[in-house]
Amino acid sequence: MTSAIEHFQNRLRFETDVSDVHHDLEAGAPGLVVIDSRGTESWDQGHIPGAVHLPTREIAARAAALVPPGSAVVTYCWGPGCNGATRAALEFAKLGYAVKEMIGGYEYWVREGFPTDGPDGRASRPVDDLTAPVAAGCGCG
């Protein structure tokens, strides 16, 4: 039983979801830095408002200049079928940052109807009822 408890506690220590990240951004959580680890073409297509664009391959060289020490870093990539956010989180962990991976990635951010910044400005898509409830909050709290 202890190993199961440790496993799930660690998941909560090192993973977060799009709803929690959205809430923290809206609340202005101090020290939070959301990192989009995708390439430039993906970033240009659309990204989370307020995110910092820092592709994984550039983290080791550029993180110190873009992310203040002591920041709470959250990484994201395309979605659950991609491990790019995991690789980015590993790079930040190697640099000593407190870091979490945003599970669901950009895909679930968009599917839950949260705003994105893209070539046509800020936009939101309708909530996908297969990924998010119609009512506020997921009801799993």
Side-chain angles (χ1 to χ4, degrees):
M1 177 130 148
T2 302
S3 62
I5 293 169
E6 289 174 12
H7 169 77
F8 292 111
Q9 284 177 331
N10 281 330
R11 285 194 62 187
L12 292 171
R13 277 182 51 208
F14 301 118
E15 295 177 354
T16 187
D17 63 30
V18 298
S19 293
D20 288 343
V21 173
H22 180 261
H23 174 269
D24 289 347
L25 287 170
E26 289 289 307
L32 176 63
V33 178
V34 178
I35 300 290
D36 185 319
S37 65
R38 302 172 302 152
T40 300
E41 288 180 0
S42 300
W43 167 267
D44 290 344
Q45 183 176 331
H47 54 272
I48 294 173
V52 174
H53 184 227
L54 186 56
T56 300
R57 68 185 171 280
E58 300 174 15
I59 291 171
R62 297 182 53 220
L66 296 173
V67 183
S71 296
V73 175
V74 173
T75 62
Y76 75 89
C77 200
W78 272 110
C82 169
N83 66 3
T86 306
R87 288 192 303 267
L90 175 59
E91 291 301 311
F92 275 100
K94 288 178 183 177
L95 295 173
Y97 286 90
V99 60
K100 289 186 176 189
E101 174 185 3
M102 186 178 80
I103 58 174
Y106 184 73
E107 175 188 348
Y108 274 70
W109 182 274
V110 172
R111 292 177 76 181
E112 289 194 24
F114 297 133
T116 60
D117 285 344
D120 298 324
R122 185 150 302 166
S124 295
R125 292 185 181 192
V127 174
D128 179 341
D129 62 1
L130 295 177
T131 62
V134 176
C138 69
C140 63

